[in-house]
Amino acid sequence: MKYYIVRYGAMRALGVAEARETEPIHFFHGARVVVKSPRGQELATILRAAEESELHEIPNLAKERLSFVRPATPKDFDVVDRNRKQERPDFARCQKIIARMKLDMQLVRVERILGGERVVVYYVADGRVDFRELVRALAAEFQTRVEMRQIGVRDETKLLADAGDCGREVCCNSFLAVMPPVSMKMAKLQKATLDPTKVSGRCGRLKCCLRFEYDYYHELQETTPSIGRVVTTPNGRGRVIAQELLAQRVVVEFDDGGRQSFNISELVSQPPKHEKPSGGKKSGKKDGKKKSPKE
């Protein structure tokens, strides 16, 4: 068997598509193909070929294996375009049914599968929603199988957002398969503004890009004298009061109140004043022989 890593579906899931060894076509990066998933026939994009031995090393792959059907044809693209145009009226019809049933849920998107095997309804809700009656009503309305899928606010942005503050396509809708955990600690370490309106993405949560460089910043922090550290500079001893991690520089304050920036290669770190130098005399003991009471 030949194995290819593919991206498919509105949620841009990662999966493994299997093709027979006798298949004469060797797909390239970016090729569009039709695959068979547990949901039905879907349009997918080839990312790369893979050996079976390395599949377990690729994170976030869908558990189910996909089977290769055929290279995508102009007819398939026409069906996809027609489905996307149909999603808007489908959304309105679904919204009316949800309002009529007074369900506490926010409809996000209605996705039609290429092969027409089912319609996937994405929604956001604070808790569990009993949508059994809704599924029956939607199945009768769409005349096909209906799958309800509850998502979070980050996934909602993944489905709906276009561009971020940087002017590029939002990361969650371009290459991210799983949303990385992001904390305010990462923003503080990178000296980003702590204004929530400026460090929040389209989803209202902390921007995913704060996570991308965090490991590198953390690595730099390990080799940079910490704030409060006493260091020796070409101009004398002083205390570190600020760090510039990317520039690998620190701001040092001297006893006379003067301040100056130095590259860390110019410094000789000294232990803080509350720490005793290593190799010093131990407390309670004196060098030499113990004195007698008469001495």
Side-chain angles (χ1 to χ4, degrees):
M1 297 291 288
K2 300 176 185 176
Y3 300 95
Y4 296 92
I5 308 301
V6 302
R7 194 183 293 278
Y8 65 100
M11 293 297 291
R12 301 177 60 80
L14 288 179
V16 180
E18 301 177 339
R20 297 184 299 273
E21 287 287 354
T22 56
E23 177 61 49
I25 300 177
H26 290 271
F27 296 107
F28 54 89
H29 171 76
R32 307 300 297 275
V33 297
V34 176
V35 297
K36 180 71 176 297
S37 76
R39 306 194 306 177
Q41 289 191 8
E42 303 194 53
L43 187 66
T45 302
I46 298 290
L47 299 183
R48 54 164 291 195
E51 298 294 334
E52 184 176 13
S53 59
E54 63 180 332
L55 294 179
H56 69 280
E57 300 177 0
I58 302 176
N60 308 320
L61 288 178
K63 294 181 180 180
E64 301 85 359
R65 294 287 176 89
L66 313 177
S67 57
F68 168 76
V69 178
R70 64 178 181 275
T73 65
K75 183 178 179 180
D76 294 320
F77 295 123
D78 290 341
V79 172
V80 171
D81 291 339
R82 188 163 58 249
N83 286 347
R84 290 301 302 270
K85 292 177 181 178
Q86 184 62 35
E87 286 180 8
R88 185 180 294 272
D90 287 346
F91 185 93
R93 292 155 65 189
C94 187
Q95 191 76 287
K96 288 181 180 179
I97 296 175
I98 291 174
R100 187 179 70 233
M101 295 183 176
K102 298 180 180 180
L103 296 175
D104 187 16
M105 57 189 291
Q106 177 187 341
L107 185 62
V108 177
R109 181 175 171 180
V110 177
E111 177 191 14
R112 283 183 174 266
I113 302 303
L114 173 66
E117 293 89 349
R118 71 178 64 190
V119 170
V120 184
V121 178
Y122 299 92
Y123 69 95
V124 174
D126 292 333
R128 294 180 61 86
V129 178
D130 185 359
F131 48 71
R132 287 173 293 182
E133 185 179 351
L134 174 62
V135 170
R136 288 193 290 268
L138 292 178
E141 181 74 18
F142 297 136
Q143 294 297 305
T144 187
R145 186 175 180 181
V146 175
E147 175 185 334
M148 303 295 296
R149 185 166 179 182
Q150 185 174 359
I151 60 176
V153 291
R154 285 187 182 271
D155 290 322
E156 179 183 6
T157 302
K158 185 174 185 176
L159 286 172
L160 302 179
D162 43 16
D165 296 341
C166 58
R168 304 187 63 177
E169 186 179 9
V170 288
C171 300
C172 57
N173 197 22
S174 54
F175 65 90
L176 287 180
V178 176
M179 305 305 169
V182 187
S183 66
M184 188 59 74
K185 176 183 177 182
M186 298 176 182
K188 292 179 180 179
L189 179 60
Q190 298 175 49
K191 303 297 185 203
T193 174
L194 300 184
D195 183 349
T197 62
K198 295 183 178 180
V199 294
S200 299
R202 294 289 298 274
C203 59
R205 304 293 178 86
L206 290 173
K207 293 181 178 180
C208 294
C209 51
L210 290 172
R211 182 67 182 84
F212 299 157
E213 297 180 358
Y214 173 72
D215 291 338
Y216 181 59
Y217 272 89
H218 185 68
E219 181 181 330
L220 292 178
Q221 188 183 43
E222 294 294 316
T223 60
T224 304
S226 59
I227 295 177
R229 189 80 171 177
V230 175
V231 295
T232 299
T233 76
N235 297 337
R237 294 183 61 182
R239 187 176 298 275
V240 176
I241 61 171
Q243 298 172 317
E244 300 174 24
L245 295 181
L246 286 182
Q248 285 289 270
R249 301 183 69 85
V250 293
V251 178
V252 177
E253 183 178 57
F254 300 101
D255 292 338
D256 60 2
R259 298 180 179 182
Q260 191 172 349
S261 175
F262 295 92
N263 189 287
I264 62 172
S265 61
E266 303 176 77
L267 306 178
V268 178
S269 296
Q270 300 291 337
K273 291 182 179 179
H274 64 272
E275 293 184 8
K276 293 185 179 182
S278 59
K281 298 178 182 179
K282 298 183 179 179
S283 59
K285 293 185 180 181
K286 297 182 180 179
D287 293 335
K289 297 180 180 179
K290 184 177 180 180
K291 294 183 179 180
S292 64
K294 295 182 180 180
E295 292 181 349

